[in-house]
């Protein structure tokens, strides 16, 4: 072997090791962020409607609790706008460190909040403020974590490796559901008094780990190239809304169906199964846990397939599933058979959410050039999440209340969301195996 060949081999080996470190660092950091965000979702369905709002009308309390859940989603576009701006101006790495601190602080303080019985209306108001802080943190974090991988990986593996970042979601969800499953085993009085606080308080330890990992990461090649060419955008959002409205609106609409299914399968179903069907908490928590375990393998698989058949094909397939399964979802849940309920939750989340969730990470990023990518991908993702995800549990609970407990309006809502995403998929460019601009 010649000296040149030895050098080339060592360079390839070093690049592969660096890419692996970048991918796993992003996965772990993102898992911490999602853990913080998702324990709120679980607590919303199990606890918050009982301790942070006036008692007397269970339906109204549940709707109010889902309203505070929605605040986190509505705050995410603000986080995407602010951190996206600076991520495109000063770099991806710094924003990742700041956002994990913001998220961790909001989560930890929720675990210390007094209840409605202790301080009255101040309790839900403080809960809203801290949920808003969580939303800002996640809104700014997602884009940076994805770009750390997407901007460093080869074109023919961008679907797989970009989707790998999204594995942080099921890891965070497994941790969130797992810790809640443990504390939910406490006697009811202890769980409602202090047990539910434990998942929020221990998040401060996970934030320390995530922050350490993110501070050890290097800036992406793509952003360094933009800096070297003096091509850093002065006002990224202004450029996007002035010259790149179509890719932005496309990204927003690509998100609509996926996040609706995430909110129905991961949040609303918990409340529906426990309050409406009378099933024990353990059944739906086991369903959420099982779906996250499946997602650990399904997300990278879907990303790998998208590198071969294309992003559009996979999105169309998931939209078709979303339309066809919208009514059977509730028919199967209404059987009240624990095994069927768990399997239904797994199927709904795997094919209604995780196909588009995994593949969307690289695809949203591929729609924008490097100098606008953090702002464009983040804001498109988070605006779609706010419009659909944050409001979906609230809309679903309201539709059931208006229809006298019927679920068919919720199914029609899911179908409408799928049609919006299918339209966006049709107009979006296919970016699998193409070079990033």
């Amino acid at each position: 072997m010649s000296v040149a060949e030895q050098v080339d081999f060592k360079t390839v080996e070093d690049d592969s090791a660096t890419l692996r470190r970048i991918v796993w660092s992003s996965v772990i950091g993102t898992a911490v962020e999602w853990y913080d965000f998702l324990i709120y979702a679980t607590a919303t369905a199990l606890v918050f409607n009982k301790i942070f709002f006036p008692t007397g009308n269970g339906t109204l309390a549940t709707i109010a609790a889902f309203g505070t859940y929605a605040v986190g989603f509505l705050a995410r576009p603000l986080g995407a706008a602010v951190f996206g701006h600076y991520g495109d101006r000063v770099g991806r790495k710094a924003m990742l460190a700041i956002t994990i601190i913001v998220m961790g602080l909001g989560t930890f303080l929720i675990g210390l909040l007094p209840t409605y019985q202790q301080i009255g209306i101040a309790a839900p108001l403080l809960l809203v403020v801290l949920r808003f802080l969580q939303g800002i943190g996640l809104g700014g974090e997602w884009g940076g974590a994805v770009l750390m991988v997407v901007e460093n990986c080869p074109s023919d593996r961008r679907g797989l490796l970009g989707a790998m970042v999204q594995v942080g979601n099921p890891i965070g969800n497994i941790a969130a559901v797992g810790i809640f499953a443990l504390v939910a085993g406490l006697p009811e009085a202890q769980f409602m008094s202090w047990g539910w606080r434990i998942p929020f308080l221990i998040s401060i330890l996970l934030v320390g780990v995530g922050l350490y990992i993110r501070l050890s990461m290097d800036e992406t090649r793509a952003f360094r190239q933009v800096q070297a060419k003096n091509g850093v955008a002065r006002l990224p959002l202004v450029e996007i809304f002035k010259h790149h409205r179509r890719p932005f609106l496309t990204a927003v609409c690509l998100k609509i169906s996926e996040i609706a299914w995430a909110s129905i399968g991961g949040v609303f179903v918990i409340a529906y199964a426990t309050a409406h069907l009378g099933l024990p908490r353990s059944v739906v928590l086991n369903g959420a846990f099982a779906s996250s375990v499946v997602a650990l393998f399904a997300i990278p698989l879907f990303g790998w397939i998208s590198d071969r058949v294309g992003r559009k094909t996979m999105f169309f397939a998931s939209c078709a599933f979303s339309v066809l399964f919208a009514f059977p979802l509730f028919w199967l849940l209404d059987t009240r058979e624990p095994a069927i309920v768990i399997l239904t939750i797994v199927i709904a989340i795997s094919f209604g959410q995780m196909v588009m969730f995994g593949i969307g990470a690289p695809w949203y990023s591929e729609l924008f050039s490097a100098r606008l990518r953090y702002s464009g991908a983040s804001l498109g993702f988070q605006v779609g999440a706010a419009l659909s995800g944050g409001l979906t549990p609230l809309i679903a609970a309201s539709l059931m209340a208006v229809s006298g407990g019927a679920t068919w309006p919720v199914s029609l809502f899911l179908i409408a969301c799928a049609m919006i995403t299918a339209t966006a998929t049709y107009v979006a460019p296919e970016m699998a195996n193409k070079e990033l601009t």
Side-chain angles (χ1 to χ4, degrees):
M1 181 183 291
S2 68
V3 173
E5 288 174 327
Q6 291 176 351
V7 171
D8 288 343
F9 180 78
K10 181 171 176 39
T11 299
V12 171
E13 190 178 49
D14 289 345
D15 286 346
S16 297
T18 299
L19 184 56
R20 285 196 299 271
R21 179 172 61 84
I22 290 171
V23 171
W24 287 111
S25 295
S26 294
V27 170
I28 294 171
T30 304
V32 173
E33 293 269 4
W34 279 113
Y35 169 83
D36 283 357
F37 198 74
L38 291 170
I39 55 174
Y40 190 102
T42 305
T44 296
L46 296 178
V47 181
F48 290 168
N49 60 326
K50 300 174 183 176
I51 66 172
F52 283 113
F53 299 93
T55 58
N57 189 320
T59 299
L60 290 180
T62 298
I63 291 174
F66 282 143
T68 66
Y69 171 79
V71 167
F73 280 87
L74 298 176
R76 284 165 63 171
L78 177 59
V82 173
F83 290 104
H85 171 84
Y86 289 103
D88 281 329
R89 286 195 54 77
V90 303
R92 304 6 178 164
K93 176 182 175 180
M95 299 306 104
L96 288 177
I98 295 172
T99 54
I100 201 169
I101 294 174
V102 171
M103 171 67 84
L105 180 63
T107 304
F108 180 75
L109 292 177
I110 288 174
L112 299 177
L113 275 183
T115 66
Y116 182 86
Q117 288 186 333
Q118 293 171 318
I119 60 172
I121 193 64
L125 292 178
L126 289 172
L127 184 65
V128 168
V129 170
L130 295 177
R131 180 58 172 174
F132 191 82
L133 192 63
Q134 277 192 321
I136 289 176
L138 186 64
E141 185 272 346
W142 177 86
V146 170
L147 297 192
M148 290 299 292
V149 174
V150 167
E151 292 186 338
N152 281 305
C153 67
S155 300
D156 61 345
R157 300 174 66 198
R158 205 162 51 234
L160 168 62
L161 298 180
M164 280 293 296
V165 180
Q166 303 292 65
V167 172
N169 175 279
I171 292 175
N173 200 35
I174 287 172
V177 174
I179 191 67
F180 255 106
L182 290 176
V183 297
L186 292 168
E188 183 72 12
Q190 295 180 24
F191 173 72
M192 298 302 295
S193 175
W194 54 265
W196 69 267
R197 299 179 185 274
I198 294 174
F200 290 89
L201 296 178
I202 66 173
S203 70
I204 199 70
L205 302 176
L206 301 178
V207 168
V209 173
L211 182 60
Y212 173 78
I213 290 172
R214 288 191 163 171
L215 290 175
S216 67
M217 299 172 73
D218 297 322
E219 189 54 79
T220 69
R221 297 173 184 174
F223 183 74
R224 293 199 302 268
Q225 290 172 355
V226 171
Q227 286 181 310
K229 296 176 181 177
N230 295 318
V232 174
R234 190 170 68 89
L235 294 171
L237 288 181
V238 173
E239 288 194 37
I240 289 170
F241 290 128
K242 189 174 182 180
H243 302 295
H244 303 277
R245 289 187 296 272
R246 177 167 177 164
F248 168 71
L249 293 174
T250 299
V252 169
C253 293
L254 287 173
K255 185 69 178 172
I256 295 296
S257 181
E258 172 252 304
I259 197 68
W261 277 86
S263 298
I264 291 294
V267 181
F268 178 74
V269 162
I270 294 177
Y272 176 76
T274 55
H276 187 76
L277 300 180
L279 291 170
R281 286 194 300 257
S282 59
V283 172
V284 285
L285 288 176
N286 286 339
F289 185 83
S291 65
S292 293
V293 172
V294 172
L296 291 175
F297 306 95
I299 288 175
L301 174 63
F302 295 145
W304 178 79
I305 294 173
S306 79
D307 281 330
R308 281 143 184 81
V309 304
R311 319 285 192 239
K312 293 169 76 80
T313 299
M314 296 296 288
F315 260 67
F316 276 133
S318 187
C319 287
F321 167 84
S322 300
V323 171
L324 296 174
F325 200 67
F327 281 96
L329 168 67
F330 291 101
W331 298 340
L332 293 169
L333 292 175
D334 289 346
T335 65
R336 291 182 170 86
E337 290 290 336
I340 294 177
V341 170
I342 291 172
L343 182 60
T344 300
I345 294 173
V346 171
I347 292 173
I349 291 178
S350 297
F351 297 103
Q353 179 195 3
M354 291 303 172
V355 173
M356 292 185 276
F357 181 71
I359 300 167
W363 203 10
Y364 303 146
S365 306
E366 291 165 339
L367 298 176
F368 300 91
S369 62
R371 63 194 301 273
L372 304 173
R373 190 169 291 136
Y374 201 136
S375 296
S378 289
L379 197 60
F381 180 98
Q382 302 302 351
V383 169
L387 291 176
S388 182
L391 297 177
T392 289
L394 183 62
I395 291 171
S398 300
L399 288 173
M400 281 194 62
V402 171
S403 63
T407 59
W408 61 263
V410 182
S411 297
L412 291 179
F413 173 77
L414 289 173
I415 292 172
C417 290
M419 297 308 294
I420 292 172
T421 294
T423 303
T425 302
Y426 177 77
V427 302
E430 177 59 74
M431 294 298 298
N433 299 306
K434 295 183 180 179
E435 292 295 329
L436 290 176
T437 56

